[in-house]
């Protein structure tokens, strides 16, 4: 009995829960990862918050202490003003000031005569202190707060030393020490002076390792972080400093242990992984069944398609017998109709292909003839250019062959190399627009005449035109006098902005000009020419040329020398044409 067909929608609906379970598992994994990342962020945030709490507590303490003693500091400001007005009575004014303050005694007032005995930081502050001003030094110990006030006149420095109670700051320190009891991850808090004296009996004694890291923190004034597994030790300092105050730095040791949180996270991840394994096993079994139901009909269909390629016959009855999905049956019916349409059009397509192939061959033949005509035209133009060159030698032919040689060594495409060979001889085409009397002038050209000569590059570009077929020819004619260092003409192009074909012809044109005899110079040897191009002289600089082209010129200089001499032995195309005319 034939199995009852079911729709693809029902098949997917039966298995949708499996997709949901997979999605939930994926979400659980993401949650675990994000939780792990968040714990790391929380650790860092807790460390920063505790550090800021400690520093804020000390800053608040200092500000409170300053507000409490504000009248005292105002009295100092008045004393400074009085001394400034009557410097001769500085000692008397200071004695009167001491008499009005119970915390000061005359025995505690010292005149600083040798500041080398002072702390380096205090000595630096006193050096920077302007006359008739004061500076306050604060140093906290376990049992007292030492306040030294330095008053600088125009001649002497006075120091008032007072000992203040630490009751207020001890309350702050004790509050900070209680953080260890409130938070399980804080294993130790210690606050000490720069002499490593603990500020509270509630603090544990510093280890030798703690002292070493604190020394680094005091010297660099940077936080030291030591991480050992889940335990993190922080060593940082607190100090207060402004133009009139210096509070000696305090060392702060904060030790944290996040192992309990990490262990809990790892335990949860392991549970998630175990659960995931069971879910994946279940999904694997269900997925296998679903894949088999869906893929089997398509496997039969693929087998029949392969046979269709060989026999041009498709066994639709075989597919229908073994398929239980309604949509697939409908798909096969449509596929059968499409195949019949394709087969009916197959012969028409083959006929069209034959016609297209014939047309393509004809177009390719015409294109080759057109290309040959372009090249022939460029050859005729080079003969015209040669007639306007500085001599009747084989200059343009040598420039074409040497430029093609260098282009080939630069690994340019064969098509580009051939175009450079045919179009390089057109580089001075624009000279036909230059008056003959200027071109053939024996003496030195005037500045005006030289400006006219320079225009031959622009004329050459205009003569060749904007046809894409002659793009390389135009670039060569227009830019072959541009220099790599930007000192050329007509546009002052620089570096790789100069088309490579023009840069090649630029080097070859100079090389051939140096090798050739001119009215103003003899022909140079290959060796002298290479020395001028590579090292420079009063007219030529190596920076004028593209370094890649100079490298090829130097590497293949023997081949270039031989090629130039072989071409130079041949007669010029212009002379050949003139001889043909004479024969006729």
């Amino acid at each position: 009995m034939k199995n009852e067909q079911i729709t693809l929608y029902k098949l997917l609906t039966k298995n949708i829960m499996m997709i949901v379970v997979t999605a939930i598992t994926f979400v659980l994994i993401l949650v675990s990862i994000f939780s792990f990342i968040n714990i790391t962020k929380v650790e860092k945030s807790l460390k920063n918050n505790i550090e800021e709490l400690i520093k804020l507590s000390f800053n608040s303490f200092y500000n409170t202490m300053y507000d409490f003693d504000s009248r005292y500091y105002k009295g100092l400001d008045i004393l400074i003003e009085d001394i400034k007005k009557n410097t001769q009575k500085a000692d008397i004014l200071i004695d009167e000031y001491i008499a009005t303050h119970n915390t000061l005694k005359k025995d505690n007032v010292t005149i600083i005569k040798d500041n080398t005995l002072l702390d380096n930081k205090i000595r630096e502050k006193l050096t920077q202190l302007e006359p008739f001003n004061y500076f306050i030094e604060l140093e906290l110990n376990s049992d007292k707060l030492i306040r030294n006030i330095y008053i600088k006149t125009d001649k002497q420095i006075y120091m008032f030393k007072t000992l203040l109670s630490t009751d207020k700051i001890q309350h702050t320190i004790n509050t900070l020490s209680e953080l260890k009891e409130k938070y399980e991850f804080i294993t130790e808090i210690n606050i000490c002076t720069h002499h490593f004296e603990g500020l509270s009996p509630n603090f544990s004694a510093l280890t030798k390792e703690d002292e070493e890291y604190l020394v680094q923190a005091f010297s660099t004034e940077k936080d030291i972080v030591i991480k050992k597994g889940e335990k993190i030790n922080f060593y940082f300092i607190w100090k207060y400093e402004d133009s009139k105050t210096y509070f000696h730095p305090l060392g702060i040791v904060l030790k944290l242990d996040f192992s309990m949180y990490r262990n809990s996270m790892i335990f949860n991840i392991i549970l998630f992984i175990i659960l995931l394994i069971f879910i994946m096993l279940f999904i694997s079994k269900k997925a296998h069944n679903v894949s088999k139901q869906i893929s089997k009909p398509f496997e039969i269909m693929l087998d029949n398609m392969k046979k269709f390629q060989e026999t041009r016959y498709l066994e639709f009855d075989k597919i229908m017998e073994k398929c239980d999905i309604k949509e697939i049956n409908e798909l096969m019916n449509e596929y059968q109709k499409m195949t019949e349409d394709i087969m009916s059009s197959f012969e028409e397509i083959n006929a069209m292909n034959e016609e297209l192939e014939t047309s393509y061959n004809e177009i390719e033949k015409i294109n080759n003839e057109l290309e040959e005509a372009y090249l022939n035209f460029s050859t005729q133009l080079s003969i015209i250019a040669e007639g306007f060159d500085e001599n009747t030698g084989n200059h343009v032919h040598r420039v074409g062959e040497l430029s093609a040689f260098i282009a080939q060594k630069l690994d340019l495409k064969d098509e580009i190399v051939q175009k450079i060979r045919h179009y390089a001889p057109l580089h001075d085409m624009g000279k036909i627009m230059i008056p003959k009397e200027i071109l053939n002038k024996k003496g030195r050209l005037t500045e005006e005449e030289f400006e006219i000569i320079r225009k031959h590059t622009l004329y050459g570009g205009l003569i060749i035109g904007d046809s894409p077929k002659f793009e390389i020819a135009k670039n060569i004619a227009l830019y072959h006098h541009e220099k790599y260092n930007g000192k050329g003409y007509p546009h002052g192009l620089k570096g790789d902005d100069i088309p490579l074909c023009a840069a090649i012809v630029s080097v070859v044109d100079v090389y051939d000009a140096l090798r050739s005899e001119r009215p103003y110079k003899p022909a140079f040897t290959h060796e002298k020419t290479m020395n001028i191009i590579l090292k420079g002289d009063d007219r030529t600089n190596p920076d004028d040329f593209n370094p890649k082209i100079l490298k090829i010129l130097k590497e293949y200089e023997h081949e270039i020398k031989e090629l130039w001499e072989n071409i130079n032995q041949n007669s010029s195309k212009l002379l050949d044409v003139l001889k043909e005319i004479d024969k006729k």
Side-chain angles (χ1 to χ4, degrees), residues 141-389:
N141 293 324
S142 60
D143 57 345
K144 58 183 175 296
L145 176 63
I146 302 173
R147 179 172 65 188
N148 294 329
I149 302 174
Y150 299 87
I151 297 178
K152 186 174 183 179
T153 66
D154 57 340
K155 296 179 180 179
Q156 299 185 99
I157 298 176
Y158 298 87
M159 183 186 80
F160 300 172
K161 183 173 184 178
T162 57
L163 301 179
L164 304 177
S165 171
T166 61
D167 292 343
K168 295 179 182 178
I169 197 167
Q170 279 298 334
H171 175 73
T172 300
I173 292 172
N174 290 334
T175 301
L176 292 175
S177 67
E178 292 174 0
L179 292 175
K180 179 180 177 182
E181 308 300 328
K182 293 182 178 179
Y183 301 102
E184 295 180 352
F185 60 87
I186 301 178
T187 59
E188 184 176 335
I189 292 181
N190 201 322
I191 303 174
C192 64
T193 68
H194 57 286
H195 300 300
F196 308 122
E197 178 186 0
L199 297 181
S200 172
N202 296 331
F203 296 146
S204 303
L206 293 172
T207 65
K208 186 176 181 181
E209 183 182 43
D210 292 339
E211 293 181 2
E212 291 174 354
Y213 287 126
L214 282 173
V215 168
Q216 293 183 37
F218 280 124
S219 60
T220 62
E221 296 187 358
K222 294 182 179 179
D223 295 353
I224 306 295
V225 181
I226 307 299
K227 190 170 184 179
K228 299 177 181 179
E230 308 305 327
K231 297 181 179 180
I232 307 176
N233 296 346
F234 298 95
Y235 301 88
F236 51 95
I237 66 169
W238 175 89
K239 72 173 186 177
Y240 183 87
E241 181 178 358
D242 58 25
S243 59
K244 287 191 174 183
T245 309
Y246 178 70
F247 203 125
H248 280 276
L250 300 176
I252 301 170
V253 179
L254 180 61
K255 297 183 179 180
L256 310 178
D257 185 355
F258 294 100
S259 59
M260 64 183 71
Y261 299 104
R262 292 291 180 94
N263 292 338
S264 176
M265 184 64 202
I266 292 172
F267 177 75
N268 289 333
I269 291 175
I270 292 174
L271 285 180
F272 283 145
I273 292 174
I274 294 173
L275 179 61
L276 179 62
I277 291 173
F278 283 107
I279 293 174
M280 291 302 294
L281 290 174
F282 182 70
I283 291 175
S284 177
K285 184 176 180 180
K286 295 295 293 183
H288 176 74
N289 294 334
V290 172
S291 298
K292 187 175 181 180
Q293 292 181 60
I294 295 176
S295 64
K296 188 64 175 178
F298 287 99
E299 290 174 2
I300 297 173
M301 182 183 72
L302 180 61
D303 182 61
N304 278 269
M305 286 182 177
K306 291 179 180 178
K307 291 181 180 179
F308 172 74
Q309 292 179 350
E310 299 173 0
T311 63
R312 293 295 184 268
Y313 176 73
L314 191 60
E315 299 178 358
F316 287 98
D317 293 340
K318 185 177 179 181
I319 297 178
M320 296 300 184
E321 289 176 0
K322 297 194 176 184
C323 180
D324 297 329
I325 301 176
K326 179 180 178 181
E327 283 82 355
I328 293 180
N329 287 329
E330 293 176 354
L331 176 64
M332 292 302 98
N333 290 330
E334 294 299 322
Y335 180 77
Q336 183 180 16
K337 294 178 183 178
M338 182 182 69
T339 305
E340 292 173 353
D341 292 339
I342 291 174
M343 289 301 296
S344 64
S345 303
F346 187 73
E347 293 181 0
E348 296 178 10
I349 293 173
N350 284 337
M352 291 175 61
N353 285 339
E354 292 176 0
E355 293 177 3
L356 287 173
E357 185 175 359
T358 302
S359 299
Y360 175 79
N361 292 334
E362 292 178 359
I363 292 172
E364 186 176 16
K365 180 181 177 182
I366 294 172
N367 185 65
N368 292 335
E369 292 175 353
L370 182 61
E371 185 71 25
E372 186 177 348
Y374 277 126
L375 295 178
N376 183 61
F377 179 61
S378 68
T379 301
Q380 300 305 315
L381 287 177
S382 68
I383 294 174
I384 297 173
E386 187 177 0
F388 279 80
D389 202 356

Side-chain angles (χ1 to χ4, degrees), residues 480-492:
H480 72 280
H481 278 293
E482 298 287 0
K483 296 181 179 180
Y484 198 77
N485 54 19
K487 297 180 181 179
Y489 66 87
H491 300 304

Side-chain angles (χ1 to χ4, degrees), residues 404-420:
F405 176 83
I406 292 176
Q408 186 179 39
K409 297 305 179 183
L410 286 170
D411 292 328
L412 299 184
K413 294 180 179 179
D414 290 340
E415 179 185 359
I416 303 299
V417 172
Q418 293 306 317
K419 286 186 177 181
I420 290 176

